[in-house]
Structures are given as C-alpha cells and as structure tokens.
C-alpha cells in the first residue's frame, strides 16, 4: 500500500532539511522563509512505498499568502495519508497555532518538535509526553539538521497512517462556539467527507469565502449558518474569525503552560537577541552589512594575505591554465604533427576561452562558501529584515530582497522566487530589478577588471554589489512614482531564526550547486562559443581574399564589432578595445561568463608571456580605469543572459512587460555607465569636456527629477490635504 | 593522420555537448540542477489562479 506523507510547518522550521534527510534528496535549503514555493515530492529512503511531500512553509490554513493557498489546497484536496508537522521547538507557542489547525483536518498527524538541541541549550524543557497527551497525537523530538530522530518520526507517521489514528482534540473553544460548530457540522454533514467535517465547519464559521465557493451551499443553509454565527458574535461581541483565533491561542497557552518549562525570564534576551541588537541596529545595521560584504569580497577576490580565492585563481591562471594544461595539450598536438590552424583553434580558441573562465572558479567557490555560511548561520535573514526597512522607504518590501539574495547565485531562480510576492506591481518591479544583483556568472567580469586594472582591490567587487543594491533602490523610487507601480508595499512578516553554527552539508551543497553549474557551462556552451569566436576573430578578408588574418583587428569579428561599437563610444569604449568590448557585451547575452571567455579568445589567453597573466597586461593597456569601470557597470546592470530573459518572459507572462523589463535594464545600465564615464572621467582628468558631458549632466538631472518629483498616488491611499484644512 | 585524430575527438566532444544541450532543452519537466537551463517546467501550479484565491483583508 502506497503511503503519502506531507511535511507541513511554519516557514523556516526545517521542513526542507528534514525532507532531504528522509529522501536523500538535495533540495535547496535556505535559512529564510519562502525557499520552498513549489511542493516537492520524494521517496522515503528504504521505504519505496512511502512518498514524502515537502510543502511550502505556512503560519495557518487561512489563505493569506501564496504559500498558504498551495499548502492548504494540497492538504484539503489531495488528503495525504499522514501529516508530519514540523514544529520549531524554540518558538513552540506560535508554531502550535498551525498544529491545532492541522489536527482539525481529520488526517493522522505526527508532530515533530525540531531544534530540540537549541531548546536544551536555552535551558528550556518540552515534555513530549504531556504535549502528546494534550494534542492527542504522537509527538517526537528531532534535530533535522543533525539527522537525529528523523527516520523514527517518518516510521511513526507510517504507523499512524496505517492505523488511521486521527487526533480528536477537545475543549479548544468555548461551549457556545462548540455548540455552534456542532450545528454547522449537522448542516454540512451531507456535503462534506466525515473526517474533514470539523475543519470545514470551523472554516464556514470563520466565513472563509473560498470554502463557501467549494461547498456551494443552498440559500436556506447559508441563512441558517449565518444566524448561528451571528448569535455567537452577538454573545461574544466579536467577529467569528477573531473569536476562533483568540480561543485557539488561549488553548495553546494552556498546552504550553502544561508541557513547556521556560528557564529564562519572560523578557530575558537570548544570545541571538543580543547579537541582533547590534547587527540589526537602526544606525549600525547597514554599515555592518557593507563591512561584512567587504570582508567577504576581500577573502574571495581581494589581493591581501587572506584573499584565498585570489590565491587559487592566480594559481589556476598562472600554473594550471598557464602551464600545466597548455603544456599537456601542446605536447600531444606537437607529437601528432597537427597543422597550425587546428593547433590555434585548440590552444588559442578553446583553451584560451574556457581557461579564462575556469580560472575564476576558486574565487567563485570561496565567495559562494562565504555567502552560504552567512545564510546558514542566519545572518542573511537579518539582511532581508534590514533591507525591508530600507526598501520600504523606497516603495519595495523586504520580500523583494529574498529573490535578490537567491540571485547572488544565479538570476534565473532569483527571478522565479519573485512568485512569493502577492502584489502584482511589486512582483513586476522585483522581476525588473533582480537582474541588477551580481550573480555568480558576473563575478569573473569583476575579478578580471579588479585584477587587471585595479590592482586586485576588493573595493571593486564590494562596489559592484553596492551598485547592484543602489540600482534596485533607485529603480524602486523612480518606478513607484509611475501609475503602474504606485501604492504601498505589501507587509513583510518574517521570523528571524536563532543564530547557529553552519551545517557543513548545507554549505557544501549550496556551494557545489552554484559552482558546478558554472563549471558545466564552461565545459558546454562556453566551449562551443569559444570555437565560433576563435573562427570569427581569426579569419577575415585581406585584399579581397578570405583567409586567416595575422591581426585580429582586421577579422570578421572586428568588422562586426566595429559596426556596432559607435553605440558604446559615449561610455568610453574607444580605440582598439572598442570592438572587443562591444563583442564581449553581446556574447555576454548568451551567458555572462562569455564576457571573460571572449576576452580570453581575443587576447589569446593561453599564450602567456614570461611575465605571466598576459591577458591582464593587455587589458590594462587597452582599458583606462574609468573605461574599465564603465564597462563593468554596463555589463553588471544591462540585460541579463538569455536564460534569465526567458525567466523574465515566463514570470511576466506578457510580451510588453518582458520587453519593458529588459529595455529598462539596458537603458538604466547605459545611462549609469555614461554618467560614470563622462563625469567620473572629467573629475579624474581622463576625459575632456564635450557634448557628452552635457548629455551626462542632462541625464543626471533627469534621474534626480524622477527621484524627487511628486509621484502618482492611488486615490485610496492619497490624503487630500486641502480637504483636511477645509474641514478644520 | 594527427589532424584526423584531433578533428575526430573534437567532433565527438562537440556532438556530445550539443546532445546534452538538446536534452537539457527538451527534458525540462524536471530540475536539472542547472538554473540557467531551467524552463520552470517543474512548476505545476496555476500561479494566477492561486493569486486570485489569496484573501486580501486580514482579520481584525
């Protein structure tokens, strides 16, 4: 007999960690809510007949959020054989709110109290037997992170399902409410499955519109039910939904009093609270976040004695892809007496292009390890909280920052994560701006220019991250003033998890997922495009004859690049590098790693000179610092890769909005780069005053106008000051 | 002879890459672990329908 078990619980209570433990799956685990938007299915290890369903985290079975609708629809419509309800032991009172609702569904349930190690560390005690007695269902203690008690919990759920042991929780509501529920149950008994009668009657009592739609009650039944509800409301002087909520909390309070012993004083601060007092401080939070990101980028991409990422990349560039791999292939190709064209294709084209990209793997892995650690210990959740405070001022909610955190790995899941935002206008704006955050594929661009032009300064990478966030905020302010985006941001409720030591498994898994994806692209799409690029930059017309060219400035690719390079001339992409930078930007649309791949092929990366790192020397010769920075900004902010554009198209589900999003990103990137190059160059003395300086000033004035102009206010939210003063 | 061997190896490598890219493109019902090739094929929800079901007025 096949058994379906659903994992249900509050956001960030450890459902996906438990799911991975039970199924051996490697689903993405995130230390912030909303990671599981889809429900995911897996088979219990060693029990092929048992399917585990990971549901999105929810606080209740009322449809107030997208996750709640997904989870509720599954539980009510598909009726799993058992529910494994994950309860965060450190927040048991609030978690039990959902538990009491799940117990009313008439489905066999096992409650798993997770994070018991943290409960014990806090000095608190949860009496599992007493909890089980009060909830009338099996209760087990587990630590999903450490894998303690997880299999036992699943086996208990199977047993409970086989025995069809349905919990019967009594005395939750006052006598008159219970009497009303019984009356409603009698009315619904003909149209609802007996097991779910209790849950449906409560929902009908709460006047849940969706349930009314599903039940399709007759007019006389509706009237009868309304009379019953109104009678209780009049007696208790409150609305029915609030009566249920309040009495449910009263009941939970009694359970907690009976089964839980708290060691600390009610208002004593935990270690996490003490840390939060500093890291989420109104004034210190943002500087601390920027300082942490600076340290992260210094370790991953800086040029100091602690910059292990750069050390790895230097070794990969100088030794692995500078000596070992080229010497290996040179030996084979020479011994096979391969002709010069084929030799050039493999050494300059494939090794040059792919090697240039793979050389950045150490920096990227170190960066992802550090970001995963920050996420796993719980700091990234605080960042979402900090950013909510900042974003809210500018019209976005902290919910928009979650997709942006996801996008630090890859923009595609970042854009997809915007689904958790309920408000259409906020979701569209998040999709339009998520691409501004530097993803893993953009890191080699930053690493290349930081190393070649800026002496390996970690300020370059930090500034790229800050520019990404600043672009989101500025876009938020400007776009919110248009009618299509106007309105208050949606409220953002998020639970801050307690700080804990990072789990090695989670960190390795998150790093490997992101890093392996990067390596796979280098070995597939990047390799193929290296061949095409090598051909286009090695062949051309000389005196009307088609053939190999000695100087790639006369190649087919140079001709194509030069035909388009005028577009970017105001951004400082001039001289010999103009066509190379133009081509790199366009190839970057295939995948952002292509930018570095293109430079690798065009500067013949594999032919390293005696000084080593010839590509860096050549790039430093071709790009002035301000032109390099302008190039970097444009490529960080402009249209993302085709895969991300596809994600935008799917999420927008509208061609006009898709074009508007991509167009906006390109225009924003162009204007930002132009201002940085023209005005920054003028200040640094690298650029002389010209018509483009005036254009840059005009664009800057235009941005300031869009930022400070009074925007559109929806009628429902606008306050008519004139009317108020007249009324006075 | 050397040219033929190298061309053959290169052709096989390219064919394998194209094959894997083709299957990644076609078989997008499941998560491939590579977000860049994701077509959201693993999503089975009617998101617009779900958004319509969300209750916008919170309890008092």
């Amino acid at each position: 007999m096949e058994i379906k078990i659903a994992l249900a619980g509050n956001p960030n209570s450890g459902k996906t960690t438990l799911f991975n433990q039970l199924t051996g799956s490697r689903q993405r685990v995130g230390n912030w809510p909303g990671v599981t938007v889809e429900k995911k299915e897996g088979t219990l290890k060693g029990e092929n007949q048992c399917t585990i369903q990971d549901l999105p985290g929810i606080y209740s079975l009322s449809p107030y959020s997208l996750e709640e609708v997904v989870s509720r629809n599954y539980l009510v419509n598909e009726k799993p054989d058992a529910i494994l309800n994950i309860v965060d032991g450190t927040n048991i009172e609030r978690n039990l709110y959902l538990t009491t609702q799940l117990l009313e569904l008439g489905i066999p349930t096992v409650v798993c109290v997770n994070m018991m190690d943290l409960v014990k560390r806090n000095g608190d005690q949860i009496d599992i037997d007493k909890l089980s007695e009060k909830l009338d269902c099996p209760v087990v203690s587990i630590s999903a992170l450490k894998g303690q008690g997880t299999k036992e919990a699943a086996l208990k759920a199977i047993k409970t399902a086989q025995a069809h042991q349905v919990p019967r929780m009594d005395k939750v509501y006052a006598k008159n409410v219970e009497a009303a529920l019984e009356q409603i149950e009698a009315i619904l008994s003909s149209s609802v499955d007996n097991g779910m009668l209790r849950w449906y009657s409560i929902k009908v009592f709460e006047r849940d519109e969706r349930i009314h739609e599903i039940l399709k009650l007759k007019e006389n039944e509706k009237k009868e039910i309304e009379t019953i509800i109104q009678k209780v409301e009049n007696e208790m002087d409150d609305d029915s939904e609030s009566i249920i909520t309040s009495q449910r909390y009263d009941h939970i309070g009694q359970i907690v009093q009976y089964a839980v012993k708290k060691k600390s004083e009610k208002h004593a601060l935990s270690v996490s609270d003490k840390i939060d007092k500093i890291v989420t401080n109104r004034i210190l939070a943002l500087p601390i976040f920027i300082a942490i990101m600076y340290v992260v980028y210094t370790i991953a991409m800086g040029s100091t004695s602690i910059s292990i990422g750069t050390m790895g990349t230097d070794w990969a560039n100088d030794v692995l892809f500078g000596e070992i791999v080229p010497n290996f292939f040179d030996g084979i190709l020479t011994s096979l007496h391969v002709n010069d064209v084929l030799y050039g294709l493999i050494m300059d084209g494939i090794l040059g292009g792919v090697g240039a990209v793979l050389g950045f793997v150490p920096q990227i892995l170190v960066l992802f390890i550090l970001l995963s650690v920050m996420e796993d210990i719980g700091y990234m959740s605080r960042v979402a909280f900090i950013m909510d405070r900042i974003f809210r001022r500018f019209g976005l909610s902290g919910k928009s920052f979650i997709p942006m955190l996801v996008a630090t790995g890859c923009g595609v899941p970042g854009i997809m994560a915007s689904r958790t935002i309920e408000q259409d206008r906020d979701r569209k704006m998040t999709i339009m701006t998520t691409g501004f955050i530097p993803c893993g594929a953009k890191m080699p661009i930053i690493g290349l220019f930081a190393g070649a032009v800026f002496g390996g300064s970690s300020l370059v990478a930090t500034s790229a991250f800050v520019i990404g966030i600043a672009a989101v905020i500025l876009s938020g302010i400007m776009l919110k003033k248009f009618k299509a985006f106007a309105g208050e941001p949606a409220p953002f409720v998020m639970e801050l998890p307690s700080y804990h030591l990072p789990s090695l498994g989670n960190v390795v898994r998150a790093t490997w997922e992101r890093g392996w994806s990067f390596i796979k692209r280098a070995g597939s799409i990047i390799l193929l495009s290296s061949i095409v690029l090598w051909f286009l930059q090695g062949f051309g017309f000389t005196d009307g004859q088609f053939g190999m060219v000695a100087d790639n400035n006369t190649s087919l690719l140079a001709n194509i690049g030069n035909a388009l390079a005028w577009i970017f001339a105001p951004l400082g992409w001039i001289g010999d590098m103009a066509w190379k930078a133009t081509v790199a930007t366009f190839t970057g649309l295939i995948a952002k790693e292509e930018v570095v791949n293109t430079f690798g092929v065009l500067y013949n990366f594999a032919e390293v000179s005696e000084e080593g790192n010839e590509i860096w020397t050549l790039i430093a010769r071709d790009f002035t610092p301000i032109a390099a920075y302008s190039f970097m900004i444009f490529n960080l902010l402009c249209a993302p890769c085709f895969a991300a554009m596809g994600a935008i198209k799917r999420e927008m589900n509208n061609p006009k909005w898709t074009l508007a999003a991509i167009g906006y990103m390109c225009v924003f990137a162009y204007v930002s780069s132009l201002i940085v190059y023209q005005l920054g160059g003028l200040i640094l003395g690298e650029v002389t005053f010209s018509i483009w300086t005036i254009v840059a000033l005009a664009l800057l004035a235009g941005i300031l106008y869009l930022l400070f102009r009074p925007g559109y206010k929806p009628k429902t939210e606008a306050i008519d000051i004139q009317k108020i003063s007249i009324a006075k | 002879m050397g040219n033929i061997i190298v061309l053959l190896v290169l052709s096989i490598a390219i064919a394998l890459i194209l094959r894997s890219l083709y299957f990644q493109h076609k078989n997008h019902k499941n998560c491939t672990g590579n977000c860049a090739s994701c077509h959201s094929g693993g999503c089975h929800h009617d998101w617009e329908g779900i958004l319509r079901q969300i209750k916008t007025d919170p309890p008092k």
Side-chain angles (χ1 to χ4, degrees), chain A residues 37-39 63-66 69-70 73 207 210 239 241-242 333 336-339 342 345-346 350 410 412-413 416 419 421-422 427 517 520-521 523-525 527-528 531 643 650-651 653, chain B residues 1-7 10 13-15 17-18 20-21 24 31-45 47-60:
Chain A
V37 183
E38 278 283 333
K39 52 185 169 46
Y64 286 112
S65 73
L66 194 132
V69 173
V70 171
N73 285 354
R207 294 199 184 88
R210 304 293 156 214
D239 68 283
E241 195 175 0
S242 303
L333 298 174
L336 287 171
H337 304 292
V338 169
N339 76 32
L342 211 48
L345 167 65
I346 292 168
I350 298 174
C410 174
V412 175
M416 282 161 64
R419 286 172 187 173
I421 301 165
E422 287 88 8
R427 193 174 56 255
S517 170
K520 270 207 291 197
R521 279 203 301 279
S524 54
I525 194 88
L527 191 148
L528 289 183
I531 296 171
R650 283 189 298 277
E651 297 307 317
N653 200 20
Chain B
M1 188 62 186
N3 290 333
I4 295 168
I5 294 170
V6 173
L7 271 174
L10 199 59
I14 293 169
I17 292 169
L18 288 172
S20 91
L21 290 174
Q24 213 169 57
C31 174
T32 58
N34 180 4
C35 295
S37 71
C38 180
H39 294 249
S40 317
C43 306
H44 311 291
H45 291 308
W47 293 105
E48 304 224 333
I50 287 169
L51 287 170
R52 278 196 299 273
Q53 287 184 48
I54 292 172
K55 197 171 175 180
T56 46
D57 50 325
K60 290 167 200 169

Side-chain angles (χ1 to χ4, degrees), chain A residues 87-309:
Chain A
V87 167
D88 174 0
T90 60
N91 265 319
I92 195 157
E93 195 156 354
R94 205 200 35 248
N95 277 243
L96 285 178
Y97 186 81
L98 175 68
T99 305
T100 55
Q101 290 194 320
L102 292 173
L103 293 173
E104 285 161 354
L105 280 169
I107 298 171
T109 302
V110 172
V111 173
C112 302
V113 185
N114 193 17
M115 306 186 201
M116 277 302 268
D117 44 345
L118 281 178
V119 173
K120 281 177 192 159
R121 202 198 299 161
N122 292 344
D124 299 338
Q125 284 178 350
I126 299 174
D127 191 321
I128 298 296
D129 295 330
K130 283 184 178 175
L131 201 58
S132 174
E133 179 198 326
K134 281 281 177 190
L135 296 173
D136 189 38
C137 72
V139 179
V140 288
S141 69
I142 63 162
S143 174
L145 204 61
K146 294 176 182 169
Q148 291 165 355
T150 51
K151 190 68 192 272
E152 292 75 11
L155 293 176
K156 193 154 252 179
I158 294 175
K159 268 190 184 173
T160 316
Q162 283 167 340
H164 199 70
Q165 189 183 329
V166 178
R168 296 255 176 262
M169 227 184 13
D170 296 324
K171 296 175 192 165
V172 178
Y173 309 108
K175 275 182 188 169
N176 57 344
V177 179
E178 287 287 354
L181 291 176
E182 271 176 33
Q183 285 173 300
I184 296 173
E185 277 179 33
I187 297 168
L188 301 183
S189 58
S190 56
S191 46
V192 174
D193 174 52
N194 198 34
M196 287 198 154
L197 201 51
R198 170 86 172 169
W199 186 77
Y200 273 105
S201 65
I202 294 169
K203 286 291 143 194
V204 167
F205 183 80
E206 286 178 338
R207 294 199 184 88
D208 189 314
E209 285 169 24
R210 304 293 156 214
I211 299 298
H212 275 281
E213 281 169 23
I214 293 165
L215 292 174
K216 294 187 182 103
L217 296 169
K218 291 174 198 151
E219 276 309 310
N220 62 327
E221 289 176 330
K222 280 184 194 171
K223 273 185 190 167
E224 203 179 334
I225 289 171
E226 192 52 36
T227 317
I228 296 166
I229 298 171
Q230 277 179 6
K231 185 175 171 256
V232 178
E233 284 180 333
N234 290 336
E235 281 168 11
M236 307 194 85
D237 194 24
D238 209 344
D239 68 283
S240 61
E241 195 175 0
S242 303
I243 292 168
I244 292 287
T245 308
S246 148
Q247 296 195 2
R248 200 186 287 282
Y249 268 120
D250 288 346
H251 183 68
I252 291 165
Q254 288 165 17
I255 296 174
V256 170
Q257 206 173 17
Y258 181 67
V260 181
K261 271 188 190 166
K262 294 254 179 197
K263 182 200 165 193
S264 52
E265 290 289 315
K266 209 173 181 183
H267 298 293
L269 292 178
S270 66
V271 177
S272 285
D273 293 337
K274 284 173 191 164
I275 299 171
D276 279 342
K277 270 184 96 78
I278 302 166
V279 299
T280 62
N281 178 280
R282 197 165 281 274
I283 297 158
L284 294 174
L286 198 58
I288 289 174
F289 175 49
I290 293 172
I292 289 174
M293 290 313 287
Y294 177 74
V295 173
V296 164
Y297 282 119
T298 300
I299 296 170
M301 305 177 87
S303 58
T304 63
S305 55
I306 55 160
S307 304
I308 46 175

Side-chain angles (χ1 to χ4, degrees), chain A residues 560-561 564-565 568 573 577-587 631:
Chain A
I560 298 166
L564 298 167
F568 302 105
W573 308 3
M577 67 82 152
W579 71 269
K580 292 172 182 164
T582 305
V583 169
T585 299
F586 279 99
T587 56
F631 178 83

Side-chain angles (χ1 to χ4, degrees), chain A residues 377 509 562 581:
Chain A
I377 61 171
R509 194 178 298 128
N562 280 324

Side-chain angles (χ1 to χ4, degrees), chain A residues 457-516:
Chain A
S457 169
S458 36
L459 279 174
V460 179
T462 313
S463 71
F465 191 77
V466 172
I467 285 171
I469 293 180
V472 174
I473 292 173
L474 292 179
S475 299
I477 302 172
M478 290 191 293
L479 295 174
K480 268 284 171 183
K481 297 194 172 175
F482 289 93
K483 193 178 175 181
F485 301 102
E488 284 299 309
F492 176 50
V493 179
M494 193 184 72
E495 194 176 323
L496 296 180
S498 300
Y499 289 101
H500 59 78
L501 286 173
S503 145
L504 185 67
N506 281 350
V507 172
V508 169
R509 194 178 298 128
T511 307
W512 178 245
E513 268 174 19
R514 293 160 169 180
W516 180 234

